[in-house]
């Protein structure tokens, strides 16, 4: 018979006495000693399990080209992953269209956190400080409509934006000035309509539009004549940079995220991630994205 076995949290602390007790042949023990053994066994396990469960997160994320994608690539999600790694969090991400991910978070309490939340949105739980800024603006065909510097320069034109774009951009008072304003979740449709001349401008994040455009050109089928080689597309940062936060159900996780993010920011990890993604499109964004 072995002298000890592994039990509880993996430590080999069960003695021969413990085995005899389990088999109904335990020697007599004082009542106080017996209670101590029971409390040690019962209280020890849940505490260990709780410590581990605090690190496992189920997180809602919006699927945004170049920013957050199921491949776990993109500027936004890599900022979150780097911060989670710093905190020691392990996470599983569920991707949904932007804004729908917020509705799901409100309706389903089995999600521990949600990323990419505009600072003014109120969701259940505890908000972090802003961890990413998006630079929304007008991506337009300069050859057709000339320079754009303000929202008023788009008056009378056909404009596209993302789901909940009117709310996020704060342009509800400008809607009547456009010839049309359409919210479409699929941002590849935005770019195709712009290239084909069926829309005049896209109101969205400049980096995201540049990434979508690159993918469309890469997959362009032979014989497609749009856009014209004479067309010049430009980006105008007509809105202020928009800060986004995370929201956690648990206060301690939100606090930990902020601390870990600050540590990475001071060590320039955050700056390196942003630079790696944004700089490759500066020829298109013309140094007008987040002041870079």
């Amino acid at each position: 018979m072995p002298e000890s076995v592994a039990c509880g949290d993996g430590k080999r602390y069960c003695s021969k006495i413990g085995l005899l007790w389990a088999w109904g042949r335990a020697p007599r023990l004082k009542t106080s000693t017996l209670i101590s053994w029971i409390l040690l066994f019962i209280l020890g396990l849940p505490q260990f399990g709780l410590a581990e469960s605090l690190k496992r997160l189920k997180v809602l994320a919006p699927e945004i080209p170049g920013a957050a994608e199921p491949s776990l690539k993109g500027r936004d999600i890599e900022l979150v992953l780097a911060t989670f790694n710093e905190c020691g969090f392990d996470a599983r991400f569920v991707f949904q269209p932007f804004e729908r991910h917020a509705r799901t978070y409100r309706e389903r309490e089995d999600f521990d956190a949600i990323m990419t939340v505009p600072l003014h949105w109120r969701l259940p739980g505890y908000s972090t400080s802003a961890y990413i800024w998006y630079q929304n603006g007008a991506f337009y065909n300069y050859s057709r409509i000339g320079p754009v510097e303000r929202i008023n320069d788009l008056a009378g034109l056909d404009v596209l934006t993302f789901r909940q774009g009117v709310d996020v951009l704060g342009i509800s008072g400008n809607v009547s000035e456009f010839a049309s304003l359409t919210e479409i979740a699929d941002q590849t449709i935005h770019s195709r309509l712009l290239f084909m001349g069926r829309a005049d401008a896209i109101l969205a994040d400049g980096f995201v539009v540049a990434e979508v455009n690159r993918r469309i050109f890469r997959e362009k089928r032979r014989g497609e004549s749009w856009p014209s080689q004479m067309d010049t597309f430009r980006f105008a940062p007509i809105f202020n940079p928009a800060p986004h936060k995370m929201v956690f159900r648990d206060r301690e996780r939100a606090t930990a995220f902020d601390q870990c993010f600050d540590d990475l920011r001071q060590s320039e990890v955050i700056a390196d991630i942003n630079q790696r993604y944004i700089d490759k499109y500066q020829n298109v964004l013309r140094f007008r994205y987040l002041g870079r």
Side-chain angles (χ1 to χ4, degrees), residues 87 126-128 248 250-260:
C87 284
Y126 301 91
S127 298
T128 69
F248 291 84
D250 180 81
R251 185 196 298 270
E252 292 183 2
R253 289 168 176 159
T255 301
F257 182 92
D258 278 340
Q259 182 60 59
C260 294

Side-chain angles (χ1 to χ4, degrees), residues 24-197:
R25 291 183 285 155
R28 293 182 179 179
L29 295 173
K30 292 182 180 180
T31 302
S32 60
T33 304
L34 180 59
I35 292 175
S36 298
W37 275 85
I38 294 173
L39 289 176
L40 177 64
F41 185 77
I42 293 176
L43 297 179
L45 291 178
Q47 290 174 350
F48 175 80
L50 179 61
E52 288 299 305
S53 66
L54 284 175
K55 297 182 180 181
R56 290 193 294 270
L57 304 177
K58 186 178 178 183
V59 182
L60 274 162
E63 187 167 357
I64 304 175
E69 303 188 75
S71 62
L72 301 186
K73 297 295 183 182
R75 183 171 77 97
D76 194 334
I77 198 166
E78 288 194 25
L79 291 173
V80 172
L81 285 170
T83 308
F84 278 11
N85 184 63
E86 180 74 9
C87 284
F89 293 159
D90 180 30
R92 179 170 70 88
F93 293 86
V94 176
F95 288 84
Q96 293 184 348
F98 181 81
E99 191 274 328
R100 186 194 299 173
H101 78 309
R103 283 188 283 124
T104 300
Y105 179 80
R106 288 190 185 98
E107 295 166 0
R108 291 180 50 182
E109 295 185 1
D110 57 311
F111 285 97
D112 301 298
I114 178 173
M115 57 181 279
T116 321
V117 179
L119 226 56
H120 67 281
W121 283 9
R122 298 289 179 257
L123 295 178
Y126 301 91
S127 298
T128 69
S129 299
Y131 73 92
I132 188 172
W133 276 255
Y134 282 83
Q135 178 65 76
N136 292 307
F139 207 101
Y140 64 100
N141 189 336
Y142 176 82
S143 304
R144 290 185 57 195
I145 67 175
V148 171
E149 296 296 335
R150 305 172 301 156
I151 189 71
N152 294 339
D153 294 333
L154 299 173
L157 301 179
D158 295 308
V159 178
L160 303 170
T161 190
F162 50 91
R163 283 286 303 274
Q164 291 293 308
V166 172
D167 172 56
V168 172
L169 300 175
I171 57 172
S172 58
N174 303 96
V175 172
S176 61
E177 300 173 6
F178 305 121
S180 67
L181 175 61
T182 307
E183 292 183 347
I184 302 175
D186 187 344
Q187 292 184 265
T188 61
I189 297 176
H190 297 183
S191 293
R192 292 182 184 278
L193 292 175
L194 180 66
F195 290 157
M196 291 187 285

Side-chain angles (χ1 to χ4, degrees), residues 233-247:
F233 297 92
R234 290 187 176 178
F235 174 72
I238 60 178
F239 302 103
N240 292 326
H244 288 67
K245 63 186 177 181
M246 287 200 65
V247 178

